[in-house]
């Protein structure tokens, strides 16, 4: 199973950032998790099971799915949101996890 | 919850390294653990995982490491291991240990260590 993410997305502070993650039938067949990785740090889960937020993650982070695309939306983007973002799913046919290639979010 | 990896370093191609993952702050035996690596300047790559004792501590591996890497756990010491044999240059990267949110497929990785670097070069 392959997850496709654009290498980069840019957004101005205060605007919304939409980070797509493409996968075949992702809406119908997969549960998607999203991780944020700031430079030099370990990844942190920001959205799990499509649209749940772990404790401590701001409400500005949300997830959605439609057709072959899952989307992480970050509302009212702040400078501190600048990071790499990775989507992840479980591939039950192989018992493997799969990560997307990651998107670098730049706050202009 | 704390997750701390150790054992990284430099190794020549074809040699072995064993990484350790020490955890605290939760009942170690109740959770599955996974290893994820990141080559320099690249994305995350899932390496493998070990289920809890409830699921017989069985393991799964990515195709890129299957047959060369193995994961084990010692619940009495709250530690997991990644044994890496027959190392290759493309095994170079930072290796992270993480806890699974629950012990079955579809879980997410809720607690991560800071990673330990591995360099494979002649």
């Amino acid at each position: 199973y392959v997850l496709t993410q654009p290498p980069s997305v840019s957004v101005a502070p205060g605007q919304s950032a939409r980070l797509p993650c493409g996968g075949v039938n992702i809406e119908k067949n997969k549960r998607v998790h999203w991780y944020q990785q700031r430079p030099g740090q370990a990844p942190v889960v920001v959205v799990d099971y499509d649209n749940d937020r772990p404790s401590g993650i701001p409400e500005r982070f949300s997830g959605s799915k439609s057709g072959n695309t899952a989307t992480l939306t970050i509302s009212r983007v702040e400078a501190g949101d600048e990071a790499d973002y990775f989507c992840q799913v479980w591939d039950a046919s192989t018992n493997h996890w799969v990560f997307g290639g990651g998107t670098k979010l730049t706050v202009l | 919850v704390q997750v701390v990896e150790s054992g990284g370093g430099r190794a020549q191609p074809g040699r072995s390294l064993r990484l350790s993952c020490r955890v605290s702050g939760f009942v170690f035996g109740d959770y599955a653990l996974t290893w994820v690596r990141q080559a320099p300047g690249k994305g995350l790559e899932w390496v493998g995982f070990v289920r809890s004792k409830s699921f017989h501590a069985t393991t799964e591996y990515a195709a890129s490491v299957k047959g060369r890497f193995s994961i084990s756990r010692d619940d009495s010491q709250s530690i997991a291991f990644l044994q890496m044999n027959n190392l290759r240059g493309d095994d170079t990267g930072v290796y992270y240990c993480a806890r699974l949110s629950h012990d079955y497929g579809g879980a997410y990785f809720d607690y991560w260590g800071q990673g330990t670097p591995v360099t494979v070069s002649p």
Side-chain angles (χ1 to χ4, degrees), chain A residues 97, chain B residues 31-34 49 98-104 107-110:
Chain A
W97 276 274
Chain B
Y31 289 86
L33 293 160
T34 189
F49 85 113
R99 189 186 84 166
L100 269 64
S101 58
H102 48 265
D103 200 355
Y104 51 87
Y108 59 95
F109 305 164
D110 58 359

Side-chain angles (χ1 to χ4, degrees), chain A residues 10 13 24 45-46 50-51 59 77 80 89 99 107:
Chain A
S10 299
V24 175
V45 59
V46 292
D50 302 333
N51 194 21
E59 289 183 11
V77 165
V89 300
F99 285 101
V107 181

Side-chain angles (χ1 to χ4, degrees), chain A residues 92-105:
Chain A
S93 67
T94 58
N95 281 347
H96 290 176
W97 276 274
V98 177
F99 285 101
T103 295
K104 180 176 180 58
L105 176 67

Side-chain angles (χ1 to χ4, degrees), chain A residues 23-92:
Chain A
V24 175
N25 285 329
I26 200 169
E27 178 186 11
K28 194 168 150 184
N29 295 336
K30 300 297 184 191
R31 304 298 300 275
V32 183
H33 312 308
W34 290 91
Y35 299 85
Q36 175 194 68
Q37 186 180 33
R38 295 191 171 105
Q41 296 186 20
V44 172
V45 59
V46 292
V47 167
D48 62 77
Y49 293 108
D50 302 333
N51 194 21
D52 285 338
R53 270 186 316 278
S55 172
I57 301 301
E59 289 183 11
R60 300 185 298 106
F61 289 81
S62 63
S64 61
K65 294 187 303 186
S66 178
N68 293 323
T69 303
T71 302
L72 174 69
T73 300
I74 309 171
S75 305
R76 302 181 301 281
V77 165
E78 303 171 356
D81 298 330
E82 193 161 276
D84 293 324
Y85 291 85
F86 298 90
C87 55
Q88 179 202 38
V89 300
W90 167 255
D91 183 357

